[in-house]
Amino acid sequence: MDRIWLRHYPPGVPADIDPSRYPSLVAMFAESFKQHGPREACVCMGKTLTYAALDEASRAFAAFLQSRGLQRGARVAIMMPNVLQYPVAIAAILRAGFTVVNVNPLYTPRELELQLCDSGAEAIVVLENFAGVLAEALPRTAVRHVIVTAIGDMLGPLKGTIVNFVLRHVKKMVPAYRIAQAVRFNAAVAAGRAMTLRDPGATGEDVAFLQYTGGTTGVSKGAMLLHRNLIANALQIEAWQQPMIDEPPRTERMTIVAALPLYHIFALTACYLLGVRSGGTNLLIPNPRDMAGFVKELTKHQVSFFPAVNTLYNGLLNTPGFDKLDFSKLKISNGGGMATQKAVAEKWLKTTGCILSEGYGLSETSPTLTCNRADIEQFSGTIGLPVPSTYLSIRDDDGNELPIGDAGEICAKGPQVMSGYWNRPDETAKVMTADGYFRTGDVGVMDANGYTKIVDRKKDMILVSGFNVYPNEIEEVIASHPGVLECAVIGIVDDKSGEAVKAFVVKKDPNVTAEDVIKFCRENLTGYKVPKLIEFRTDLPKTNVGKILRRELRDEKKAAAA
């Protein structure tokens, strides 16, 4: 389709980027290591890792991994939160010529086994807190090389020893485990320093990451993200943001809040890879759910880029002390991963002085497809414009492009779109159109200026007496009630209307009643959209990134009905 959105691009943003600028992510890393050696690449728990130190440690660890006899393209899993070992492990695995398999550290043994078996991972780097889960799954996988690390391993001899002692013996956060072949991370890096790293000759067509989809809508699948896919998206995000950075290109020292886990595609690209590409600093937050500790850490830094999901923004806004932080350097706040709610965006702007600019993407698209301009004056309620070199098309179920203003499935094409699902050609075929567009599974409407508004996921739509009802709209209304902290909406079986709307609500004001919420909805929604049932909860099921899992709520209702 005609790229009608280009005329609304911020000044200085190109229509296209050149993903062939780097032959591989390894080349992009090498350039940054050389140019930004003394700069801070990552900061975690008060410890700084410079680009030179990241270069040295990842080179040594890569040499060690190669010494294990793994062949080019071998899959190596990483199972840990945001600690300094994570960026080292990513760079090392790629430099060794292998593929990174990011693993949620909160997986159960069953979930871990499924992902390790599906990916064919032969090695894994795991934080010792989760090694017990790995030990249970290990015998039924192809993993033969295990590298175990502790949170304090890269914090320095004194601090690291203290942190590890407290976590193991005081807080009892490291369950007992037994993995006979395990090698300690620090020992592996030390051994690698005496080894030679062989150049694997990585290319843009090699699989850099097997990024498993969140599973919020079904069985998790491994999206094959090539080196060129990730390079493209890092360049797309950088090109989109550059006009909003005061300094000339590549001289601004950007401090990025990496509170979202690096195993999630949003943080992997928008925090880590963008940070490496631009010579910025990633502020790694190991446990963002500890909101008080998160706010305390933010008092020590002046951050400039804050990517997060709606629930994380909302949580911080309701944490004492957050409104007292210094936001004078904060230039860009990007919301993604789930719908950003207007009430949260407005409060974020009021508190920080920085507009919350919503974007959109998926694991299959590296992830960014669209983003709002960071110079808008108020929350737009849209996912913005396609980023450079990206094509968006709104289509019907038969793949036909719909007129502007009609709701249909959002389909996308661009250099950031995956090459397919790992070992699942049938699933790949289902999500690709004949002309090469990726079907996102999300319903949206594009206006005449190229801005798109998400209506909802196709599978989450509720059919009430023949009318389409989209949970996002109802959640947006309920979340704006002053007594509501967060909410989720699903459809339930109804004898009269086929389906009816049910809302799950977490209170901010303990005095709020179901009648209060329903009355508020009646004032703001058409009758058939008003929830028939309100259920109060102390919390809602979420992914580790903070995305609310409507599917789990639906499954609960099905189980109860059975």
Side-chain angles (χ1 to χ4, degrees), residues 119-391:
S119 65
E122 299 177 62
I124 187 169
V125 187
V126 61
L127 190 74
E128 64 178 8
N129 304 50
F130 313 107
V133 174
L134 173 62
E136 191 172 332
L138 202 57
R140 298 178 296 279
T141 74
V143 174
R144 296 296 175 263
H145 307 284
V146 178
I147 299 92
V148 179
T149 190
I151 286 180
D153 281 357
M154 292 192 72
L155 299 181
L158 179 59
K159 184 173 184 177
T161 300
I162 294 172
V163 168
N164 288 342
F165 179 86
V166 170
L167 292 177
R168 290 168 183 161
H169 305 294
V170 179
K171 294 188 176 182
K172 309 289 186 183
M173 294 177 66
V174 182
Y177 68 92
R178 181 176 176 78
I179 301 177
Q181 71 269 43
V183 177
R184 301 299 304 189
F185 179 85
N186 282 356
V189 172
R193 291 191 174 105
M195 300 173 182
T196 300
L197 175 63
R198 302 184 306 276
D199 181 1
T203 74
E205 297 303 312
D206 290 332
V207 179
F209 291 83
L210 279 188
Q211 195 67 30
Y212 278 76
T213 59
T216 56
T217 57
V219 177
S220 186
K221 302 178 288 289
M224 293 187 290
L225 300 182
L226 310 182
H227 281 254
R228 63 174 171 81
N229 296 144
L230 278 305
I231 290 168
N233 211 225
L235 294 177
Q236 287 167 322
I237 298 170
E238 183 185 50
W240 189 258
Q241 290 185 348
Q242 193 58 57
M244 277 67 82
I245 297 176
D246 298 329
E247 298 286 334
R250 299 186 64 76
T251 62
E252 170 75 1
R253 183 179 175 277
M254 179 163 50
T255 299
I256 306 169
V257 179
L260 299 175
L262 291 177
Y263 63 76
H264 189 272
I265 188 62
F266 189 8
L268 173 65
T269 304
C271 297
Y272 182 46
L273 296 181
L274 176 64
V276 170
R277 158 64 194 158
S278 62
T281 302
N282 267 269
L283 173 60
L284 301 177
I285 306 297
N287 182 17
R289 295 189 179 190
D290 174 13
M291 290 289 175
F294 189 0
V295 170
K296 183 178 179 181
E297 188 65 23
L298 289 174
T299 63
K300 306 171 187 176
H301 305 272
Q302 288 188 305
V303 300
S304 47
F305 178 36
F306 205 132
V309 296
N310 186 81
T311 48
L312 183 57
Y313 287 128
N314 192 32
L316 287 171
L317 289 167
N318 287 281
T319 300
F322 181 74
D323 58 345
K324 302 297 191 298
L325 296 176
D326 180 1
F327 300 106
S328 60
K329 298 292 185 181
L330 183 58
K331 299 174 182 178
I332 304 172
S333 299
N334 275 158
M338 62 184 296
T340 301
Q341 293 171 337
K342 183 178 180 182
V344 173
E346 289 177 344
K347 189 172 181 180
W348 183 265
L349 175 60
K350 182 179 179 180
T351 303
T352 69
C354 180
I355 193 75
L356 208 169
S357 179
E358 188 171 12
Y360 171 71
L362 304 94
S363 297
E364 294 91 338
T365 60
S366 301
T368 306
L369 288 173
T370 70
C371 196
N372 273 280
R373 296 173 54 143
D375 59 354
I376 56 177
E377 295 182 356
Q378 61 183 5
F379 181 66
S380 73
T382 76
I383 56 172
L385 306 170
V387 294
S389 295
T390 303
Y391 291 77

Side-chain angles (χ1 to χ4, degrees), residues 10 22-23 32 58 67 84 90 103 116 122-123 192 220 242 269 276 329 352 358 423 426 505 516 521 557:
Y22 298 104
S32 286
S58 64
S67 76
L84 293 173
I90 289 176
V103 176
L116 292 179
E122 299 177 62
S220 186
Q242 193 58 57
T269 304
V276 170
K329 298 292 185 181
T352 69
E358 188 171 12
N423 290 335
D426 53 336
V505 175
D516 293 334
C521 288
K557 296 301 113 181

Side-chain angles (χ1 to χ4, degrees), residues 39-68:
R39 281 191 177 183
E40 297 178 346
C42 303
V43 178
C44 183
M45 299 175 68
K47 174 67 175 179
T48 295
L49 191 68
T50 65
Y51 278 91
L54 177 57
D55 179 16
E56 190 276 334
S58 64
R59 176 182 292 275
F61 191 40
F64 172 83
L65 290 174
Q66 285 183 340
S67 76
R68 302 297 92 181

Side-chain angles (χ1 to χ4, degrees), residues 277-538:
R277 158 64 194 158
S278 62
T281 302
N282 267 269
L283 173 60
L284 301 177
I285 306 297
N287 182 17
R289 295 189 179 190
D290 174 13
M291 290 289 175
F294 189 0
V295 170
K296 183 178 179 181
E297 188 65 23
L298 289 174
T299 63
K300 306 171 187 176
H301 305 272
Q302 288 188 305
V303 300
S304 47
F305 178 36
F306 205 132
V309 296
N310 186 81
T311 48
L312 183 57
Y313 287 128
N314 192 32
L316 287 171
L317 289 167
N318 287 281
T319 300
F322 181 74
D323 58 345
K324 302 297 191 298
L325 296 176
D326 180 1
F327 300 106
S328 60
K329 298 292 185 181
L330 183 58
K331 299 174 182 178
I332 304 172
S333 299
N334 275 158
M338 62 184 296
T340 301
Q341 293 171 337
K342 183 178 180 182
V344 173
E346 289 177 344
K347 189 172 181 180
W348 183 265
L349 175 60
K350 182 179 179 180
T351 303
T352 69
C354 180
I355 193 75
L356 208 169
S357 179
E358 188 171 12
Y360 171 71
L362 304 94
S363 297
E364 294 91 338
T365 60
S366 301
T368 306
L369 288 173
T370 70
C371 196
N372 273 280
R373 296 173 54 143
D375 59 354
I376 56 177
E377 295 182 356
Q378 61 183 5
F379 181 66
S380 73
T382 76
I383 56 172
L385 306 170
V387 294
S389 295
T390 303
Y391 291 77
L392 228 62
S393 177
I394 308 299
R395 302 194 172 191
D396 63 20
D397 290 341
D398 296 321
N400 301 309
E401 190 164 85
L402 294 169
I404 293 295
D406 282 9
E409 184 172 12
I410 301 171
C411 299
K413 182 193 288 188
Q416 71 272 50
V417 176
M418 68 170 185
S419 63
Y421 291 118
W422 177 254
N423 290 335
R424 292 176 184 263
D426 53 336
E427 293 295 328
T428 302
K430 290 178 184 177
V431 298
M432 301 302 298
T433 66
D435 56 347
Y437 276 77
F438 170 70
R439 295 179 177 273
T440 68
D442 289 313
V443 179
V445 177
M446 183 182 292
D447 68 20
N449 294 321
Y451 284 86
T452 298
K453 182 176 179 61
I454 296 271
V455 180
D456 225 311
R457 283 204 64 83
K458 290 177 72 174
K459 294 181 180 179
D460 286 340
M461 188 184 74
I462 306 166
L463 197 63
V464 180
S465 299
F467 292 98
N468 294 345
V469 177
Y470 297 100
N472 274 358
E473 180 186 9
I474 304 168
E475 289 169 357
E476 177 86 27
V477 170
I478 296 174
S480 66
H481 188 291
V484 171
L485 181 62
E486 57 185 13
C487 63
V489 165
I490 66 169
I492 57 173
V493 176
D494 185 84
D495 292 338
K496 292 183 178 179
S497 57
E499 283 189 299
V501 177
K502 177 171 182 176
F504 297 83
V505 175
V506 178
K507 298 181 183 182
K508 181 190 298 182
D509 178 355
N511 296 315
V512 169
T513 66
E515 290 72 23
D516 293 334
V517 175
I518 291 174
K519 179 182 178 183
F520 187 77
C521 288
R522 284 186 179 133
E523 293 170 354
N524 293 276
L525 294 166
T526 304
Y528 64 85
K529 299 179 182 179
V530 174
K532 187 172 184 178
L533 293 173
I534 305 290
E535 181 176 323
F536 291 108
R537 296 281 186 96
T538 55

